[in-house]
């Protein structure tokens, strides 16, 4: 049998011979009963489209590397489910709804069996349908609306292609630990406050205000003869390294290219970003600049190397049952005062007029207040979804930029040995901090559109669904 990570590239095969020699695995018992298909489709936008990620408008000026939608379709005994990853800043509820409807119509896969997650690259187009911030910075332009209108159809086509390629498959699982790429970006300072992204080598820094999740999870999908079909990689790290005005998938794109080359053939590499709402790549103890395409290449290469390391420990997954569960959770709104609403109205007018640029956190708070006020007291209705395969694999969707502590809690509570966390999935309401962080303030808390305790509600829901699916095997 060929290695689960068989490569069609001779040079890479020679380079990685010491790794691949350890990858001959037995076939999973009963694997022929599980079928898997994978596909990818280009979703690169046209030049000039407004880009997401910051509090200012910037039109794209060319393409550094293409953006892709990638899909994995699983089928067992007539039950089907799909995992879709997007090289985009986020997902929105309207986009997910339209995409699921198109997928169901074209493939027969039930809408609520489709999980759609975004990598969170900051060099991608604005995704519409999320609120006034995106509209102010280019979401209302024709080029943006037209691009967003094409997305559901493109993603559905990708899922359809994956379904056409359904074939008997084996699943193998591995993990690595990478402690030098991701850093908690919130820090306790000497004055007792918590800072967000302080300058490098700042003498006022005492210590990070939270942990990281160093786990790199790998799911390798092969046909029964060992031919690579797909690889799903999960790691928690903000993709905001490239910067500038060229379209790019950031470090996940670099990683996907390297792993795909190594795996060879038509293998598809998907990346699901973990809980990284308070995690980024900046090492404040390292004075070197960490911005630009070179930094994305460095990070993507190291992450790919972790996938290669995980390959040495790949083990066949046990069981091949396919189960899906989802639950809508009502998250409470944060309290806002009439004074905040009045101030937000003034700031919004200034931003739209372009006559004055407000202080950064004032602008962040203003957009949050406008969004919350627009709810008229109605809670956010968000989704937690779990797709479980066999005895060991579960993929959990979370609806925003989730603090790493919450993702770690879900993993601790999960009865599945390999629990993949996919944030910014099936719609997003922005930052979801821990209850503890609300008392500390700083950017993510100022931006949060849900009340303290919302993150813990998501953890509780995810844990309950995981237990439910484990018991249903």
């Amino acid at each position: 049998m060929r290695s689960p990570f068989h490569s069609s590239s001779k040079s890479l095969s020679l380079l990685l011979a010491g790794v691949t020699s350890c990858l001959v695995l037995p076939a999973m018992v009963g694997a022929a009963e599980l079928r898997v298909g994978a596909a990818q489709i280009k979703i690169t936008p046209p030049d000039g489209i407004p880009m997401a990620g910051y509090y200012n408008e910037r039109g794209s000026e060319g393409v550094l590397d293409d953006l892709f939608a990638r899909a994995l379709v699983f089928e067992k005994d007539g039950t089907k489910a799909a995992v879709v990853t997007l090289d985009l800043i986020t997902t929105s509820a309207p986009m997910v709804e339209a995409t699921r409807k198109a997928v169901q119509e074209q493939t027969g896969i039930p809408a609520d069996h489709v999980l759609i997650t975004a990598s969170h690259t900051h060099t991608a187009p604005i995704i519409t349908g999320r609120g006034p911030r995106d509209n102010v910075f280019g979401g209302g332009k024709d080029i943006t609306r037209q691009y967003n209108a094409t997305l559901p159809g493109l993603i559905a086509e990708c899922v359809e292609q994956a379904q056409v390629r359904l074939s008997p498959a084996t699943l193998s699982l591995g993990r690595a630990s990478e402690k030098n790429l991701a850093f908690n970006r919130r820090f306790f300072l000497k004055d007792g406050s918590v800072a967000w992204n302080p300058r490098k080598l700042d003498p006022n820094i005492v210590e990070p205000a939270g942990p990281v999740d160093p786990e790199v999870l790998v799911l390798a999908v092969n046909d029964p003869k060992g031919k690579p079909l797909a690889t799903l990689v999960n790691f928690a790290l903000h993709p905001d390294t490239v910067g500038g005005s060229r379209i790019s998938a950031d470090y996940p794109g670099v990683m996907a290219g390297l792993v795909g080359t190594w795996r060879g053939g038509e293998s598809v590499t998907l990346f699901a970003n973990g809980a990284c709402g308070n995690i980024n790549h900046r090492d404040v103890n390292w004075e070197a600049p960490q911005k630009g395409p070179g930094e994305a290449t460095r990070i993507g290469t190291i992450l790919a190397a972790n996938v290669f390391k995980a390959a040495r420990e790949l083990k066949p997954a046990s069981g091949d049952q396919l189960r899906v569960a989802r639950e809508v959770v009502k998250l409470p709104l944060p309290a806002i005062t009439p004074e905040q609403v009045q101030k937000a109205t003034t700031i919004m007018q200034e931003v739209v007029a372009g006559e004055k640029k407000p202080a950064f956190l004032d602008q962040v708070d203003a957009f949050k207040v406008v969004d919350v006020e627009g709810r008229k007291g109605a809670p956010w209705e968000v989704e937690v979804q779990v797709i479980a395969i066999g005895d060991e694999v579960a993929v959990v969707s979370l609806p925003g930029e989730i603090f790493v502590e919450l993702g770690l809690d879900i993993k601790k509570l999960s009865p599945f040995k390999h629990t993949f966390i996919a944030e910014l999935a099936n719609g997003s309401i922005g930052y979801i901090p821990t209850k503890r962080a609300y008392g500390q303030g700083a950017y993510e808390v100022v931006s949060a559109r849900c009340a303290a305790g919302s993150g813990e509600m998501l953890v509780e829901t995810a844990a309950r669904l995981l237990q439910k699916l484990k018991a249903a095997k």
Side-chain angles (χ1 to χ4, degrees):
M1 179 187 296
R2 288 188 294 176
S3 158
F5 275 125
H6 173 73
S7 171
S8 62
S9 170
K10 183 177 180 181
S11 60
L12 276 173
S13 294
L14 291 174
L15 177 64
L16 300 166
V19 175
T20 58
S21 63
C22 300
L23 298 179
V24 178
L25 298 174
M28 184 179 73
V29 176
E33 297 181 5
L34 175 71
R35 297 196 303 155
V36 183
Q40 65 180 23
I41 193 167
K42 193 182 297 185
I43 56 171
T44 306
D47 283 351
I49 195 166
M51 299 173 72
Y54 306 115
Y55 282 81
N56 59 277
E57 185 172 339
R58 57 191 176 122
S60 66
E61 300 174 344
V63 176
L64 182 64
D65 54 275
D66 284 313
L67 308 183
F68 288 89
R70 298 178 172 94
L72 267 179
V73 173
F74 301 89
E75 187 272 332
K76 172 72 189 306
D77 296 334
T79 298
K80 294 179 181 179
V83 174
V84 179
T85 63
L86 306 172
D87 291 331
L88 295 174
I89 185 75
T90 190
T91 62
S92 69
M95 181 259 276
V96 170
E97 182 180 2
T99 300
R100 283 175 159 174
K101 179 180 179 182
V103 168
Q104 181 167 308
E105 290 174 349
Q106 293 175 217
T107 69
I109 300 173
D112 58 4
H113 282 210
V114 180
L115 187 158
I116 306 172
T117 181
S119 68
H120 199 48
T121 173
H122 284 55
T123 39
I126 287 174
I127 299 303
T128 57
R130 297 197 314 134
R133 172 185 167 189
D134 292 331
N135 292 335
V136 167
F137 296 131
K141 292 188 173 181
D142 286 345
I143 188 172
T144 309
R145 293 186 179 278
Q146 290 169 7
Y147 175 78
N148 276 263
T150 68
L151 274 176
L154 288 172
I155 300 168
E157 181 182 346
C158 185
V159 176
E160 186 175 23
Q161 289 180 13
Q163 176 168 270
V164 168
R165 295 172 186 170
L166 278 171
S167 61
T170 65
L171 306 183
S172 299
L173 295 160
R175 54 165 45 90
S177 180
E178 175 52 61
K179 299 181 180 179
N180 296 306
L181 284 184
F183 301 87
N184 200 296
R185 67 187 191 183
R186 293 167 61 86
F187 292 86
F188 290 115
L189 302 184
K190 289 180 179 179
D191 64 3
S193 64
V194 170
W196 168 75
N197 273 343
R199 71 181 188 276
K200 291 192 171 204
L201 305 180
D202 188 337
N204 293 308
I205 293 174
V206 176
E207 61 181 356
V212 300
D213 182 356
E215 185 174 56
V216 181
L217 281 178
V218 179
L219 172 66
V221 183
N222 305 294
D223 75 8
K225 293 183 178 180
K227 178 184 177 181
L229 300 178
T231 312
L232 175 61
V233 180
N234 190 209
F235 185 60
L237 176 61
H238 246 80
D240 185 18
T241 57
V242 171
S245 57
R246 288 190 292 172
I247 294 294
S248 173
D250 211 288
Y251 79 79
V254 175
M255 181 277 298
L258 290 170
V259 173
T261 299
W262 182 37
R263 288 278 262 157
E266 297 181 356
S267 176
V268 177
T269 304
L270 300 89
F271 175 74
N273 211 334
C276 66
N278 52 341
I279 303 296
N280 68 13
H281 66 287
R282 290 180 70 251
D283 181 357
V284 298
N285 295 314
W286 185 29
E287 63 182 357
Q290 289 184 264
K291 197 72 174 178
E295 179 68 357
T297 298
R298 183 185 75 87
I299 292 172
T301 302
I302 294 173
L303 183 57
N306 276 274
V307 177
F308 302 155
K309 287 192 295 182
R312 294 178 61 91
E313 308 299 329
L314 282 172
K315 298 288 190 300
S318 63
D320 59 1
Q321 313 92 331
L322 180 62
R323 295 93 74 203
V324 183
R326 63 183 290 272
E327 187 173 321
V328 173
V329 185
K330 295 183 178 181
L331 301 182
L333 304 176
I336 55 173
T337 66
E339 291 75 20
Q340 281 181 288
V341 174
Q342 183 177 1
K343 181 178 179 181
T345 302
T346 301
I347 289 174
M348 288 286 289
Q349 292 171 347
E350 293 173 350
V351 171
V352 172
E355 299 172 354
K356 177 182 177 183
K357 188 170 183 177
F360 175 66
L361 284 183
D362 285 344
Q363 190 173 179
V364 171
D365 185 66
F367 282 110
K368 182 269 294 290
V369 169
V370 170
D371 279 347
V372 172
E373 174 69 8
R375 299 293 300 174
K376 303 302 180 185
W380 297 103
E381 295 190 8
V382 300
E383 179 181 323
V384 176
Q385 181 187 38
V386 179
I387 297 176
I389 308 130
D391 304 321
E392 302 177 52
V393 184
V395 184
V396 179
S397 82
L398 297 172
E401 296 184 61
I402 313 296
F403 269 35
V404 68
E405 294 93 334
L406 301 171
L408 290 169
D409 285 345
I410 291 172
K411 289 184 177 184
K412 289 176 184 176
L413 294 168
S414 175
F416 292 88
K417 185 177 179 181
H418 296 79
T419 302
F420 292 69
I421 304 293
E423 72 162 26
L424 292 162
N426 300 335
S428 169
I429 61 167
Y431 283 101
I432 303 180
T434 60
K435 186 182 296 185
R436 176 172 178 256
Y438 276 84
Q440 300 169 344
Y443 166 64
E444 300 93 344
V445 173
V446 173
S447 178
R449 286 147 171 81
C450 54
S454 295
E456 287 73 15
M457 291 173 66
L458 296 178
V459 171
E460 180 184 354
T461 302
R464 183 171 59 253
L465 293 178
L466 287 161
Q467 292 290 345
K468 174 184 176 181
L469 294 188
K470 186 69 172 180
K473 68 178 183 177

